[in-house]
Amino acid sequence: MSAQESEKEKAKAQGQIRSGQDGLRSVLPFSSNDAKFMPFSANPALAAIMQASRPEEAEGMRRWLLRVEAAIHEWIVRRCFLDCSEEEAIARCAAYRSLGRGWFIVQLLPQKKFKFWWEEIAQIEGKRAAEIDELRERMDLGDIRHFTRGFVCHNELVFYIRGISHPTNPSARAPSIRIMKWDPTFRRTDLWTGGSEWLQSG
């Protein structure tokens, strides 16, 4: 690629970022204060899982939690990047990649509502340092840098979910943190650099 072609590609990418910022910000809050609570019914898959009978045995509980997580992960990605035109999806993805490293944070409440927002890693390592230390110890995560500096931000997404209630003990809330990889077999991987279950656990 010539220098002129490279500059054209750079200008095109910058244009995509600028055009995608408004669309992305319309669906992706950047702070807890900006995020609005929504009823579980806004996410039909999540509402169905929450309304279904919940297993009490350990393995059944593990599978139930994974289903809750998957319903949240997929709904957020669809809302932010896929439930729009192809052109808008490309612009939003370019805008998101320009943000750099960060986490999707999800808060669930027992009143059957939830909200989500995105925070950059500098915020997480700063104002959430004590919370993350507690999370690391509670979940035996090992080196937390795997979740802050070790993931590939161009094709991996980090989700931190707070407030998933244990079926047999609603007062016990289990946090969840996962790195999800954009499935290379999904039809719109071309929206991301490097390339239904289109999110895979990392």
Side-chain angles (χ1 to χ4, degrees):
M1 179 182 296
S2 67
Q4 185 178 9
E5 290 173 332
S6 178
E7 285 301 314
K8 287 183 179 180
E9 287 297 316
K10 183 178 180 180
K12 179 181 178 181
Q14 290 173 341
Q16 288 177 340
I17 291 170
R18 287 194 296 271
S19 64
Q21 282 172 345
D22 289 341
L24 186 60
R25 288 182 180 277
S26 70
V27 293
L28 179 59
F30 286 82
S31 73
S32 176
N33 290 336
D34 291 339
K36 306 299 182 184
F37 277 107
M38 295 170 281
F40 284 170
S41 58
N43 181 340
L46 176 63
I49 295 168
M50 290 297 191
Q51 292 169 1
S53 60
R54 304 179 186 182
E56 296 186 11
E57 76 279 6
E59 180 57 25
M61 174 63 190
R62 187 188 70 82
R63 290 197 301 268
W64 180 84
L65 286 171
L66 289 175
R67 289 178 62 206
V68 171
E69 292 175 15
I72 293 170
H73 298 160
E74 295 185 12
W75 184 86
I76 289 175
V77 171
R78 284 191 181 280
R79 179 178 174 86
C80 292
F81 305 114
L82 302 178
D83 288 343
C84 55
S85 69
E86 186 83 7
E87 182 178 0
E88 174 66 12
I90 292 171
R92 288 188 190 182
C93 289
Y96 178 79
R97 289 197 303 272
S98 74
L99 297 174
R101 297 181 186 278
W103 290 3
F104 289 92
I105 301 179
V106 185
Q107 180 68 60
L108 279 71
L109 293 183
Q111 295 88 351
K112 297 183 179 180
K113 58 184 181 179
F114 73 105
K115 67 178 181 178
F116 76 97
W117 66 97
W118 188 89
E119 287 187 11
E120 63 179 355
I121 289 300
Q123 288 181 291
I124 291 167
E125 293 178 327
K127 70 178 184 180
R128 297 193 181 279
E131 179 182 351
I132 298 306
D133 282 344
E134 180 182 350
L135 180 71
R136 177 179 56 79
E137 294 179 3
R138 183 175 179 181
M139 299 183 65
D140 192 24
L141 295 176
D143 191 346
I144 195 66
R145 288 176 298 179
H146 176 63
F147 296 94
T148 57
R149 303 290 176 177
F151 68 97
V152 182
C153 59
H154 281 174
N155 67 357
E156 294 180 329
L157 311 174
V158 179
F159 292 88
Y160 172 33
I161 304 176
R162 308 185 303 189
I164 300 179
S165 298
H166 190 292
T168 59
N169 184 5
S171 64
R173 310 207 187 287
S176 163
I177 181 169
R178 292 190 185 277
I179 298 175
M180 307 302 292
K181 185 182 295 291
W182 198 267
D183 188 336
T185 65
F186 183 58
R187 63 185 176 83
R188 296 179 85 171
T189 52
D190 57 305
L191 302 183
W192 295 85
T193 58
S196 165
E197 290 288 330
W198 35 267
L199 282 176
Q200 298 178 331
S201 180

PDB file of all heavy atoms in Angstrom, residues 100-122:
ATOM      1  N   GLY A 100     -10.279   1.979  23.002  1.00  0.00           N
ATOM      2  CA  GLY A 100      -9.221   1.247  23.698  1.00  0.00           C
ATOM      3  C   GLY A 100      -9.798   0.238  24.676  1.00  0.00           C
ATOM      4  O   GLY A 100     -10.928  -0.228  24.522  1.00  0.00           O
ATOM      5  N   ARG A 101      -9.026  -0.079  25.703  1.00  0.00           N
ATOM      6  CA  ARG A 101      -9.434  -1.113  26.642  1.00  0.00           C
ATOM      7  C   ARG A 101     -10.484  -0.604  27.624  1.00  0.00           C
ATOM      8  O   ARG A 101     -10.407   0.526  28.101  1.00  0.00           O
ATOM      9  CB  ARG A 101      -8.226  -1.634  27.432  1.00  0.00           C
ATOM     10  CG  ARG A 101      -7.177  -2.299  26.568  1.00  0.00           C
ATOM     11  CD  ARG A 101      -6.027  -2.812  27.412  1.00  0.00           C
ATOM     12  NE  ARG A 101      -4.970  -3.326  26.563  1.00  0.00           N
ATOM     13  CZ  ARG A 101      -4.968  -4.549  26.031  1.00  0.00           C
ATOM     14  NH1 ARG A 101      -5.950  -5.379  26.300  1.00  0.00           N
ATOM     15  NH2 ARG A 101      -3.981  -4.934  25.248  1.00  0.00           N
ATOM     16  N   GLY A 102     -11.421  -1.491  27.933  1.00  0.00           N
ATOM     17  CA  GLY A 102     -12.460  -1.149  28.897  1.00  0.00           C
ATOM     18  C   GLY A 102     -13.364  -2.337  29.168  1.00  0.00           C
ATOM     19  O   GLY A 102     -13.220  -3.393  28.539  1.00  0.00           O
ATOM     20  N   TRP A 103     -14.262  -2.179  30.113  1.00  0.00           N
ATOM     21  CA  TRP A 103     -15.189  -3.242  30.495  1.00  0.00           C
ATOM     22  C   TRP A 103     -16.626  -2.790  30.294  1.00  0.00           C
ATOM     23  O   TRP A 103     -16.969  -1.626  30.522  1.00  0.00           O
ATOM     24  CB  TRP A 103     -15.035  -3.599  31.964  1.00  0.00           C
ATOM     25  CG  TRP A 103     -13.782  -4.307  32.358  1.00  0.00           C
ATOM     26  CD1 TRP A 103     -12.718  -4.621  31.569  1.00  0.00           C
ATOM     27  CD2 TRP A 103     -13.464  -4.772  33.675  1.00  0.00           C
ATOM     28  NE1 TRP A 103     -11.756  -5.263  32.295  1.00  0.00           N
ATOM     29  CE2 TRP A 103     -12.177  -5.365  33.596  1.00  0.00           C
ATOM     30  CE3 TRP A 103     -14.126  -4.742  34.904  1.00  0.00           C
ATOM     31  CZ2 TRP A 103     -11.564  -5.930  34.713  1.00  0.00           C
ATOM     32  CZ3 TRP A 103     -13.506  -5.300  36.012  1.00  0.00           C
ATOM     33  CH2 TRP A 103     -12.240  -5.896  35.914  1.00  0.00           C
ATOM     34  N   PHE A 104     -17.469  -3.748  29.916  1.00  0.00           N
ATOM     35  CA  PHE A 104     -18.910  -3.576  30.030  1.00  0.00           C
ATOM     36  C   PHE A 104     -19.277  -3.974  31.462  1.00  0.00           C
ATOM     37  O   PHE A 104     -18.979  -5.090  31.885  1.00  0.00           O
ATOM     38  CB  PHE A 104     -19.660  -4.476  29.043  1.00  0.00           C
ATOM     39  CG  PHE A 104     -19.529  -4.054  27.608  1.00  0.00           C
ATOM     40  CD1 PHE A 104     -18.520  -4.566  26.806  1.00  0.00           C
ATOM     41  CD2 PHE A 104     -20.427  -3.152  27.049  1.00  0.00           C
ATOM     42  CE1 PHE A 104     -18.395  -4.183  25.483  1.00  0.00           C
ATOM     43  CE2 PHE A 104     -20.311  -2.762  25.723  1.00  0.00           C
ATOM     44  CZ  PHE A 104     -19.294  -3.284  24.939  1.00  0.00           C
ATOM     45  N   ILE A 105     -19.893  -3.078  32.188  1.00  0.00           N
ATOM     46  CA  ILE A 105     -20.308  -3.367  33.558  1.00  0.00           C
ATOM     47  C   ILE A 105     -21.832  -3.452  33.594  1.00  0.00           C
ATOM     48  O   ILE A 105     -22.524  -2.577  33.053  1.00  0.00           O
ATOM     49  CB  ILE A 105     -19.806  -2.291  34.535  1.00  0.00           C
ATOM     50  CG1 ILE A 105     -18.276  -2.211  34.479  1.00  0.00           C
ATOM     51  CG2 ILE A 105     -20.282  -2.581  35.962  1.00  0.00           C
ATOM     52  CD1 ILE A 105     -17.667  -1.158  35.379  1.00  0.00           C
ATOM     53  N   VAL A 106     -22.341  -4.501  34.212  1.00  0.00           N
ATOM     54  CA  VAL A 106     -23.782  -4.748  34.274  1.00  0.00           C
ATOM     55  C   VAL A 106     -24.206  -4.843  35.731  1.00  0.00           C
ATOM     56  O   VAL A 106     -23.571  -5.541  36.516  1.00  0.00           O
ATOM     57  CB  VAL A 106     -24.156  -6.052  33.537  1.00  0.00           C
ATOM     58  CG1 VAL A 106     -25.671  -6.228  33.517  1.00  0.00           C
ATOM     59  CG2 VAL A 106     -23.588  -6.060  32.124  1.00  0.00           C
ATOM     60  N   GLN A 107     -25.270  -4.137  36.080  1.00  0.00           N
ATOM     61  CA  GLN A 107     -25.816  -4.188  37.439  1.00  0.00           C
ATOM     62  C   GLN A 107     -27.225  -4.753  37.388  1.00  0.00           C
ATOM     63  O   GLN A 107     -28.095  -4.202  36.723  1.00  0.00           O
ATOM     64  CB  GLN A 107     -25.839  -2.798  38.065  1.00  0.00           C
ATOM     65  CG  GLN A 107     -26.398  -2.759  39.474  1.00  0.00           C
ATOM     66  CD  GLN A 107     -25.482  -3.472  40.470  1.00  0.00           C
ATOM     67  OE1 GLN A 107     -24.327  -3.084  40.633  1.00  0.00           O
ATOM     68  NE2 GLN A 107     -25.989  -4.514  41.130  1.00  0.00           N
ATOM     69  N   LEU A 108     -27.448  -5.877  38.078  1.00  0.00           N
ATOM     70  CA  LEU A 108     -28.769  -6.467  38.183  1.00  0.00           C
ATOM     71  C   LEU A 108     -29.329  -6.180  39.576  1.00  0.00           C
ATOM     72  O   LEU A 108     -28.600  -6.225  40.566  1.00  0.00           O
ATOM     73  CB  LEU A 108     -28.728  -7.982  37.973  1.00  0.00           C
ATOM     74  CG  LEU A 108     -28.693  -8.496  36.531  1.00  0.00           C
ATOM     75  CD1 LEU A 108     -27.357  -8.219  35.893  1.00  0.00           C
ATOM     76  CD2 LEU A 108     -28.991  -9.988  36.490  1.00  0.00           C
ATOM     77  N   LEU A 109     -30.629  -5.901  39.642  1.00  0.00           N
ATOM     78  CA  LEU A 109     -31.294  -5.670  40.913  1.00  0.00           C
ATOM     79  C   LEU A 109     -32.405  -6.698  41.102  1.00  0.00           C
ATOM     80  O   LEU A 109     -33.007  -7.164  40.126  1.00  0.00           O
ATOM     81  CB  LEU A 109     -31.879  -4.259  40.971  1.00  0.00           C
ATOM     82  CG  LEU A 109     -30.881  -3.087  40.998  1.00  0.00           C
ATOM     83  CD1 LEU A 109     -31.633  -1.773  41.142  1.00  0.00           C
ATOM     84  CD2 LEU A 109     -29.868  -3.248  42.115  1.00  0.00           C
ATOM     85  N   PRO A 110     -32.724  -7.052  42.370  1.00  0.00           N
ATOM     86  CA  PRO A 110     -33.787  -8.039  42.617  1.00  0.00           C
ATOM     87  C   PRO A 110     -35.166  -7.558  42.185  1.00  0.00           C
ATOM     88  O   PRO A 110     -36.084  -8.366  42.060  1.00  0.00           O
ATOM     89  CB  PRO A 110     -33.719  -8.247  44.140  1.00  0.00           C
ATOM     90  CG  PRO A 110     -33.007  -7.044  44.681  1.00  0.00           C
ATOM     91  CD  PRO A 110     -32.054  -6.629  43.609  1.00  0.00           C
ATOM     92  N   GLN A 111     -35.301  -6.250  41.946  1.00  0.00           N
ATOM     93  CA  GLN A 111     -36.591  -5.724  41.475  1.00  0.00           C
ATOM     94  C   GLN A 111     -36.801  -5.997  39.985  1.00  0.00           C
ATOM     95  O   GLN A 111     -37.585  -5.310  39.321  1.00  0.00           O
ATOM     96  CB  GLN A 111     -36.669  -4.208  41.729  1.00  0.00           C
ATOM     97  CG  GLN A 111     -36.675  -3.817  43.185  1.00  0.00           C
ATOM     98  CD  GLN A 111     -35.267  -3.646  43.751  1.00  0.00           C
ATOM     99  OE1 GLN A 111     -34.280  -3.988  43.089  1.00  0.00           O
ATOM    100  NE2 GLN A 111     -35.162  -3.124  44.956  1.00  0.00           N
ATOM    101  N   LYS A 112     -36.087  -6.987  39.466  1.00  0.00           N
ATOM    102  CA  LYS A 112     -36.235  -7.414  38.075  1.00  0.00           C
ATOM    103  C   LYS A 112     -35.904  -6.295  37.087  1.00  0.00           C
ATOM    104  O   LYS A 112     -36.644  -6.043  36.125  1.00  0.00           O
ATOM    105  CB  LYS A 112     -37.638  -7.965  37.813  1.00  0.00           C
ATOM    106  CG  LYS A 112     -37.961  -9.206  38.625  1.00  0.00           C
ATOM    107  CD  LYS A 112     -39.327  -9.754  38.289  1.00  0.00           C
ATOM    108  CE  LYS A 112     -39.631 -11.016  39.088  1.00  0.00           C
ATOM    109  NZ  LYS A 112     -40.957 -11.573  38.772  1.00  0.00           N
ATOM    110  N   LYS A 113     -34.785  -5.637  37.333  1.00  0.00           N
ATOM    111  CA  LYS A 113     -34.333  -4.630  36.390  1.00  0.00           C
ATOM    112  C   LYS A 113     -32.804  -4.637  36.347  1.00  0.00           C
ATOM    113  O   LYS A 113     -32.148  -5.166  37.260  1.00  0.00           O
ATOM    114  CB  LYS A 113     -34.866  -3.244  36.747  1.00  0.00           C
ATOM    115  CG  LYS A 113     -34.493  -2.742  38.121  1.00  0.00           C
ATOM    116  CD  LYS A 113     -35.174  -1.401  38.400  1.00  0.00           C
ATOM    117  CE  LYS A 113     -34.804  -0.842  39.763  1.00  0.00           C
ATOM    118  NZ  LYS A 113     -35.443   0.469  40.014  1.00  0.00           N
ATOM    119  N   PHE A 114     -32.268  -4.081  35.298  1.00  0.00           N
ATOM    120  CA  PHE A 114     -30.823  -4.078  35.115  1.00  0.00           C
ATOM    121  C   PHE A 114     -30.411  -2.847  34.318  1.00  0.00           C
ATOM    122  O   PHE A 114     -31.224  -2.200  33.654  1.00  0.00           O
ATOM    123  CB  PHE A 114     -30.357  -5.350  34.399  1.00  0.00           C
ATOM    124  CG  PHE A 114     -30.709  -5.392  32.931  1.00  0.00           C
ATOM    125  CD1 PHE A 114     -29.742  -5.173  31.957  1.00  0.00           C
ATOM    126  CD2 PHE A 114     -32.017  -5.662  32.514  1.00  0.00           C
ATOM    127  CE1 PHE A 114     -30.057  -5.203  30.603  1.00  0.00           C
ATOM    128  CE2 PHE A 114     -32.341  -5.700  31.163  1.00  0.00           C
ATOM    129  CZ  PHE A 114     -31.358  -5.476  30.203  1.00  0.00           C
ATOM    130  N   LYS A 115     -29.115  -2.521  34.382  1.00  0.00           N
ATOM    131  CA  LYS A 115     -28.554  -1.486  33.540  1.00  0.00           C
ATOM    132  C   LYS A 115     -27.119  -1.865  33.217  1.00  0.00           C
ATOM    133  O   LYS A 115     -26.523  -2.713  33.882  1.00  0.00           O
ATOM    134  CB  LYS A 115     -28.617  -0.105  34.209  1.00  0.00           C
ATOM    135  CG  LYS A 115     -27.730   0.072  35.435  1.00  0.00           C
ATOM    136  CD  LYS A 115     -27.858   1.508  35.971  1.00  0.00           C
ATOM    137  CE  LYS A 115     -26.983   1.754  37.187  1.00  0.00           C
ATOM    138  NZ  LYS A 115     -27.082   3.163  37.665  1.00  0.00           N
ATOM    139  N   PHE A 116     -26.579  -1.239  32.186  1.00  0.00           N
ATOM    140  CA  PHE A 116     -25.196  -1.527  31.806  1.00  0.00           C
ATOM    141  C   PHE A 116     -24.539  -0.255  31.312  1.00  0.00           C
ATOM    142  O   PHE A 116     -25.190   0.692  30.867  1.00  0.00           O
ATOM    143  CB  PHE A 116     -25.133  -2.618  30.731  1.00  0.00           C
ATOM    144  CG  PHE A 116     -25.502  -2.145  29.349  1.00  0.00           C
ATOM    145  CD1 PHE A 116     -24.516  -1.789  28.438  1.00  0.00           C
ATOM    146  CD2 PHE A 116     -26.839  -2.047  28.962  1.00  0.00           C
ATOM    147  CE1 PHE A 116     -24.854  -1.341  27.159  1.00  0.00           C
ATOM    148  CE2 PHE A 116     -27.180  -1.593  27.704  1.00  0.00           C
ATOM    149  CZ  PHE A 116     -26.193  -1.251  26.794  1.00  0.00           C
ATOM    150  N   TRP A 117     -23.223  -0.223  31.402  1.00  0.00           N
ATOM    151  CA  TRP A 117     -22.438   0.893  30.895  1.00  0.00           C
ATOM    152  C   TRP A 117     -21.024   0.409  30.604  1.00  0.00           C
ATOM    153  O   TRP A 117     -20.677  -0.740  30.883  1.00  0.00           O
ATOM    154  CB  TRP A 117     -22.435   2.056  31.886  1.00  0.00           C
ATOM    155  CG  TRP A 117     -21.752   1.801  33.187  1.00  0.00           C
ATOM    156  CD1 TRP A 117     -20.470   2.123  33.547  1.00  0.00           C
ATOM    157  CD2 TRP A 117     -22.320   1.157  34.350  1.00  0.00           C
ATOM    158  NE1 TRP A 117     -20.207   1.719  34.829  1.00  0.00           N
ATOM    159  CE2 TRP A 117     -21.325   1.125  35.356  1.00  0.00           C
ATOM    160  CE3 TRP A 117     -23.570   0.597  34.637  1.00  0.00           C
ATOM    161  CZ2 TRP A 117     -21.533   0.562  36.603  1.00  0.00           C
ATOM    162  CZ3 TRP A 117     -23.785   0.042  35.891  1.00  0.00           C
ATOM    163  CH2 TRP A 117     -22.774   0.033  36.858  1.00  0.00           C
ATOM    164  N   TRP A 118     -20.196   1.282  30.041  1.00  0.00           N
ATOM    165  CA  TRP A 118     -18.824   0.944  29.685  1.00  0.00           C
ATOM    166  C   TRP A 118     -17.876   1.866  30.427  1.00  0.00           C
ATOM    167  O   TRP A 118     -18.128   3.071  30.544  1.00  0.00           O
ATOM    168  CB  TRP A 118     -18.616   1.103  28.177  1.00  0.00           C
ATOM    169  CG  TRP A 118     -17.307   0.604  27.656  1.00  0.00           C
ATOM    170  CD1 TRP A 118     -17.016  -0.671  27.227  1.00  0.00           C
ATOM    171  CD2 TRP A 118     -16.094   1.363  27.465  1.00  0.00           C
ATOM    172  NE1 TRP A 118     -15.712  -0.741  26.800  1.00  0.00           N
ATOM    173  CE2 TRP A 118     -15.121   0.485  26.941  1.00  0.00           C
ATOM    174  CE3 TRP A 118     -15.754   2.687  27.702  1.00  0.00           C
ATOM    175  CZ2 TRP A 118     -13.835   0.895  26.635  1.00  0.00           C
ATOM    176  CZ3 TRP A 118     -14.469   3.120  27.412  1.00  0.00           C
ATOM    177  CH2 TRP A 118     -13.519   2.221  26.879  1.00  0.00           C
ATOM    178  N   GLU A 119     -16.781   1.302  30.972  1.00  0.00           N
ATOM    179  CA  GLU A 119     -15.762   2.106  31.636  1.00  0.00           C
ATOM    180  C   GLU A 119     -14.395   1.739  31.093  1.00  0.00           C
ATOM    181  O   GLU A 119     -14.097   0.557  30.885  1.00  0.00           O
ATOM    182  CB  GLU A 119     -15.770   1.876  33.155  1.00  0.00           C
ATOM    183  CG  GLU A 119     -16.939   2.504  33.865  1.00  0.00           C
ATOM    184  CD  GLU A 119     -16.833   2.396  35.376  1.00  0.00           C
ATOM    185  OE1 GLU A 119     -15.745   2.007  35.880  1.00  0.00           O
ATOM    186  OE2 GLU A 119     -17.825   2.682  36.060  1.00  0.00           O
ATOM    187  N   GLU A 120     -13.562   2.750  30.872  1.00  0.00           N
ATOM    188  CA  GLU A 120     -12.220   2.498  30.390  1.00  0.00           C
ATOM    189  C   GLU A 120     -11.359   1.922  31.513  1.00  0.00           C
ATOM    190  O   GLU A 120     -11.656   2.095  32.698  1.00  0.00           O
ATOM    191  CB  GLU A 120     -11.601   3.781  29.848  1.00  0.00           C
ATOM    192  CG  GLU A 120     -11.421   4.885  30.870  1.00  0.00           C
ATOM    193  CD  GLU A 120     -10.782   6.115  30.269  1.00  0.00           C
ATOM    194  OE1 GLU A 120     -10.398   6.057  29.082  1.00  0.00           O
ATOM    195  OE2 GLU A 120     -10.664   7.124  30.971  1.00  0.00           O
ATOM    196  N   ILE A 121     -10.296   1.244  31.141  1.00  0.00           N
ATOM    197  CA  ILE A 121      -9.456   0.542  32.109  1.00  0.00           C
ATOM    198  C   ILE A 121      -8.860   1.488  33.156  1.00  0.00           C
ATOM    199  O   ILE A 121      -8.741   1.136  34.327  1.00  0.00           O
ATOM    200  CB  ILE A 121      -8.341  -0.238  31.379  1.00  0.00           C
ATOM    201  CG1 ILE A 121      -8.951  -1.431  30.631  1.00  0.00           C
ATOM    202  CG2 ILE A 121      -7.276  -0.723  32.353  1.00  0.00           C
ATOM    203  CD1 ILE A 121      -9.682  -2.425  31.513  1.00  0.00           C
ATOM    204  N   ALA A 122      -8.489   2.701  32.753  1.00  0.00           N
ATOM    205  CA  ALA A 122      -7.918   3.649  33.714  1.00  0.00           C
ATOM    206  C   ALA A 122      -8.897   3.927  34.858  1.00  0.00           C
ATOM    207  O   ALA A 122      -8.495   4.024  36.025  1.00  0.00           O
ATOM    208  CB  ALA A 122      -7.544   4.949  33.014  1.00  0.00           C
TER     209      ALA A 122
END
